[in-house]
Amino acid sequence: MTDREHYEAVVVGCGPGGAAAAASLAENDVETLVLERGVEAGSKNVSGGLLYAEESSSYTIDDLFPGFREEASEREITEYQMHNVSGSQVKSFDITELHEHDTEWSDSVLRRKMDSWLEQRVHEMTVETGGGVLTDVRVDGLLWEDDEVVGVSCAELDPIEADMIVAADGVNSELAREAGMMDWEEPEEWFHGVKAVVDLPDEGVEERFHLPPGEGAAHLFAGDLFEGVRGGGFLYTNEDSLSIGTVFHLDSVVEQQVEVHELLDSLITHPVVGEWIPDEYTELEYAAKLTPDSKKVAHPSPGQGRLALVGDAAGQMQAQGPVIKGMNHAVTAGALAGDAFVEAEEKGMDPGKAYVKQLSGEGIFRKLRPRRYKVARALGENGPMTALTDGLLTSFVGRWFMRRGFMKRLTGWAMSSPWMASMMPDTRTPYVTLPTVVAEEMGEEVDSENDVEPKSLLDRIGDLKYDTDVGNPHINVLDDSWEASGAAVMACPVSARDFGGGCYREEKVKAGDVTERTVSLDTQPCIECGTCAVVADTEWRHPNGGKGVEFKEG
């Protein structure tokens, strides 16, 4: 026996997945403690972001938190457009049908506002069970006894035991990695997102986007405006601001050796967004996020013993072409984790096992890892097939067909098809080649002007709020050679070649007649996206509770 503090359930992280788990547990009168490492929930979180409520899901966030949409979200998104871009030529398609498939509603959100509101509701609910929410607490590991997880260890508190541990600690989950259930090994398994929140102070969203009062729009972008990197851009309307950003396959960023902040600038300054970006351009915040590709990394059994992984910690981020859904899956999984605890207590089984059973019954794995994609990947994700397909599309014959009227209808149908989205291969073809050819052969010249000047990287970093953990760096470079860690200089969203103000910097060390390229690191400007843990040889952990960057928008 020990004299450690004990709770029936401990939830790590108070994002939407952790909040949903805590609400479900509290509704079932389970003594629940929630540990959040930010100064407030949302201060460490970033999303694009759209939050969906799926008709097929047993739980949506407004089911668990009445009044959520009125108090914590931004706008209901009722218009979805896909823009295929080649130079200043653009061909746009309405893909509302795709986004409204299995959708009850979809709202734009900002994480600081949303998560802080959820935290308050969660605290009220969990206090009633004998628990509550503690912020500024970093859970730095799992507590083990006889090779079984029995609790958590914390940087700021004594170890805590629990009958169930819900790891909702995000894409950089140290708990999932310690349990051997996730890793940082392959760049091809991850997306890298970078975004800015842009103020719309004078002319409102409705006027600028020609929308009915209270409604919002989503715009997606693909083609040749991102230097050949596999991925695309997005623009979502908030209540009185815009979330504009880019999302790319991380392995493509490394292969192309591009700097991710410049890819964001390419979208912000393109004429296609000129009619929506105000001339007096004001960036409220710059942020970035590593995102799991569920098709490759969604854990098929994210529960073991007392431990349950929820949301990004379990790779539950659905990114299939224009379909980008993550927070809703985290909410459903979190609520099911709460149900699993009750079932486990009733049937005398492990909560983790009951959780996996709940997820299987929900059918969430079929959404995250669609079988059609496995077939498409086996057939199409190889160099020769990609070269053949791209060659055909860009040939005289391919372009001739693309100009036919029936091809315009067929392309529009394909871009709005959930069936096609779920099997889209991760190659240049759908992200770069096809949209570029579509724009060239079907598009029209954009006549909008765009004279905005994005903030410099130095100003973006300087405008963020940090509480640096002096003398206690949360990242260490294990191999500082250019070959091992040089990719971080480009992929890190606050670093760049010939820029001395970011995290990762290229150094040239001369020894005799030989000049060696190495990498140095300063963790102070870090925005904790975790990208360097994948592309560089590092030892990476979260900063201690309340330390590091604090996002105001998220």
Side-chain angles (χ1 to χ4, degrees):
M1 297 292 291
T2 68
D3 57 359
R4 298 184 183 119
E5 192 169 6
H6 180 277
Y7 289 86
E8 288 183 285
V10 167
V11 178
V12 183
C14 198
S24 177
L25 288 160
E27 283 290 336
N28 286 290
D29 199 29
V30 178
E31 181 188 41
T32 304
L33 177 67
V34 182
L35 302 174
E36 164 60 45
R37 69 184 179 90
V39 295
E40 180 182 60
S43 64
K44 294 291 185 181
N45 299 337
V46 177
S47 70
L50 298 184
L51 174 58
Y52 287 81
E54 291 189 323
E55 294 171 349
S56 61
S57 294
S58 55
Y59 288 101
T60 62
I61 199 162
D62 55 333
D63 292 332
L64 297 164
F65 298 97
F68 169 84
R69 299 184 70 194
E70 294 77 14
E71 300 293 334
S73 69
E74 296 292 310
R75 287 179 178 271
E76 181 176 9
I77 302 300
T78 58
E79 177 185 317
Y80 302 82
Q81 296 283 329
M82 180 74 211
H83 306 284
N84 300 271
V85 181
S86 177
S88 57
Q89 294 229 143
V90 178
K91 174 59 180 177
S92 302
F93 292 94
D94 187 324
I95 56 171
T96 303
E97 183 179 347
L98 172 63
H99 282 271
E100 292 187 347
H101 171 72
D102 192 27
T103 297
E104 185 177 334
W105 54 262
S106 171
D107 286 0
S108 58
V109 297
L110 292 169
R111 292 295 297 272
R112 184 63 183 264
K113 172 184 173 181
M114 179 180 81
D115 291 9
S116 62
W117 185 87
L118 290 173
E119 179 201 314
Q120 295 176 27
R121 308 288 86 72
V122 166
H123 186 67
E124 294 166 0
M125 298 170 74
T126 53
V127 162
E128 294 295 319
T129 71
V133 178
L134 293 180
T135 59
D136 286 338
V137 175
R138 172 182 167 243
V139 175
D140 59 8
L142 296 167
L143 199 61
W144 299 82
E145 286 186 3
D146 300 324
D147 295 325
E148 298 280 337
V149 174
V150 298
V152 297
S153 61
C154 308
E156 295 78 20
L157 302 172
D158 291 333
I160 300 169
E161 292 186 355
D163 300 323
M164 184 180 193
I165 299 96
V166 178
D169 50 338
V171 67
N172 307 319
S173 172
E174 294 171 85
L175 303 188
R177 284 161 177 78
E178 183 179 338
M181 299 170 74
M182 293 287 277
D183 62 45
W184 271 317
E185 298 299 323
E186 302 297 335
E188 70 172 18
E189 297 176 344
W190 304 92
F191 294 97
H192 187 18
V194 180
K195 82 160 190 176
V197 178
V198 176
D199 194 21
L200 286 182
D202 298 321
E203 187 179 358
V205 169
E206 288 94 351
E207 292 83 1
R208 191 170 287 272
F209 287 82
H210 310 293
L211 293 165
E215 295 185 11
H219 294 267
L220 304 179
F221 309 87
D224 72 352
L225 71 170
F226 300 120
E227 300 185 35
V229 185
R230 301 194 325 273
F234 62 84
L235 185 153
Y236 304 138
T237 56
N238 302 316
E239 185 175 345
D240 51 14
S241 65
L242 306 177
S243 291
I244 182 167
T246 54
V247 181
F248 299 99
H249 288 271
L250 185 54
D251 62 323
S252 187
V253 170
V254 174
E255 289 166 4
Q256 300 297 114
Q257 297 187 11
V258 297
E259 294 173 355
V260 293
H261 72 100
E262 291 185 347
L263 297 177
L264 173 63
D265 290 347
S266 295
L267 177 60
I268 291 173
T269 59
H270 195 278
V272 72
V273 299
E275 66 177 294
W276 303 311
I277 296 287
D279 294 334
E280 296 183 4
Y281 175 83
T282 303
E283 263 188 36
L284 300 176
E285 187 169 79
Y286 175 70
K289 185 184 189 308
L290 190 68
T291 303
D293 184 351
S294 71
K295 302 187 299 295
K296 301 180 178 75
V297 301
H299 202 292
S301 184
Q304 296 179 3
R306 303 184 189 187
L307 179 65
L309 309 182
V310 165
D312 277 359
Q316 295 167 345
M317 169 65 194
Q318 181 184 3
Q320 296 159 9
V323 177
I324 303 175
K325 296 180 178 180
M327 291 177 283
N328 60 302
H329 294 314
V331 167
T332 302
L336 292 175
D339 291 347
F341 181 88
V342 176
E343 181 182 8
E345 290 286 291
E346 292 175 350
K347 298 182 179 179
M349 60 193 299
D350 288 336
K353 183 178 180 180
Y355 171 58
V356 174
K357 177 185 173 185
Q358 292 274 354
L359 288 176
S360 298
E362 177 76 11
I364 195 169
F365 295 125
R366 292 193 297 273
K367 298 176 183 178
L368 298 174
R369 285 181 173 264
R371 293 175 181 174
R372 286 187 291 271
Y373 170 72
K374 294 180 181 179
V375 176
R377 184 182 191 185
L379 295 174
E381 288 190 20
N382 59 74
M385 181 58 71
T386 299
L388 178 64
T389 305
D390 286 1
L392 179 61
L393 283 170
T394 56
S395 69
F396 172 80
V397 174
R399 291 178 178 276
W400 182 84
F401 268 101
M402 198 62 69
R403 289 192 289 268
R404 303 305 96 189
F406 76 92
M407 283 301 297
K408 294 181 181 180
R409 294 189 294 272
L410 180 62
T411 303
W413 168 82
M415 290 187 176
S416 292
S417 168
W419 187 83
M420 293 294 292
S422 67
M423 64 183 295
M424 195 175 96
D426 289 337
T427 66
R428 283 177 53 91
T429 305
Y431 290 105
V432 182
T433 309
L434 178 59
T436 299
V437 173
V438 166
E440 290 172 349
E441 302 303 328
M442 301 182 189
E444 297 180 356
E445 196 78 15
V446 176
D447 57 8
S448 300
E449 294 185 4
N450 189 343
D451 298 321
V452 304
E453 293 186 13
K455 280 186 180 179
S456 69
L457 190 54
L458 184 62
D459 286 340
R460 283 168 167 164
I461 296 170
D463 288 343
L464 290 168
K465 182 178 180 181
Y466 295 92
D467 184 358
T468 305
D469 202 355
V470 178
N472 187 22
H474 64 285
I475 310 171
N476 291 306
V477 178
L478 302 178
D479 185 341
D480 68 354
S481 68
W482 186 260
E483 291 73 21
S485 300
V489 176
M490 283 76 74
C492 170
V494 293
S495 301
R497 285 164 290 198
D498 302 320
F499 175 61
C503 286
Y504 286 90
R505 303 162 191 182
E506 179 183 3
E507 307 287 350
K508 294 182 180 180
V509 180
K510 192 168 185 178
D513 295 332
V514 178
T515 299
E516 183 181 356
R517 299 170 78 193
T518 63
V519 173
S520 64
L521 169 66
D522 175 7
T523 60
Q524 191 279 326
C526 177
I527 53 178
E528 302 167 33
C529 66
T531 303
C532 62
V534 184
V535 303
D537 189 359
T538 68
E539 181 181 66
W540 198 102
R541 63 179 176 84
H542 292 113
N544 284 336
K547 297 298 183 179
V549 70
E550 178 187 343
F551 292 113
K552 295 294 188 180
E553 303 286 335

